[in-house]
Amino acid sequence: MKFEDAIPEDEILGESDWDDQDLLTIDEASTRLEAEIAHCTSLVRRLESDSAQAAELEKARDRLDGLNKCLDIVRAGPSRLAYP
C-alpha cells in the first residue's frame, strides 16, 4: 500500500481522531515557530551590528517576517476549509 492509498474500511480502528491531532499539531507548530522566531531575532540583531552583512541581514529580516506571519496563521487555528 502506498501512502496515498485509502485505508480499507475493515482496517480502520474506530472513529477518526483528527480533531485531537490537529490541536496537538497546532500547539507544537506554535512552540516550534516561537523558538525559530527567537533564534532569527537574535540573528537579525547580530547582523545589524555588521554593515558588511547587509545582504544576509535582508534575508534574515525577510525570514523573520515570514515566520511571524506563519505564527499568526497557526495561532488563528484551522481555516474553514478544515471542516467539511
Side-chain angles (χ1 to χ4, degrees):
M1 177 188 316
K2 294 186 308 187
F3 179 74
E4 300 86 17
D5 292 343
I7 298 173
E9 285 198 35
D10 60 327
E11 291 183 28
I12 295 176
L13 304 174
E15 293 294 315
S16 172
D17 64 350
W18 276 103
D19 290 337
D20 290 339
Q21 289 180 13
D22 286 346
L23 292 174
L24 295 173
T25 301
I26 289 169
D27 207 29
E28 181 66 22
S30 294
T31 301
R32 291 181 183 199
L33 279 167
E34 288 165 355
E36 190 61 25
I37 287 168
H39 172 75
C40 198
T41 299
S42 176
L43 176 63
V44 166
R45 287 184 182 141
R46 278 182 292 175
L47 292 171
E48 286 174 336
S49 65
D50 185 355
S51 60
Q53 298 289 331
E56 292 302 315
L57 175 59
E58 184 176 344
K59 287 179 192 176
R61 283 181 176 158
D62 287 345
R63 178 166 170 69
L64 182 57
D65 183 51
L67 289 169
N68 279 307
K69 287 178 183 174
C70 286
L71 184 58
D72 290 343
I73 291 167
V74 168
R75 284 182 174 162
S79 73
R80 62 182 175 78
L81 297 175
Y83 303 102

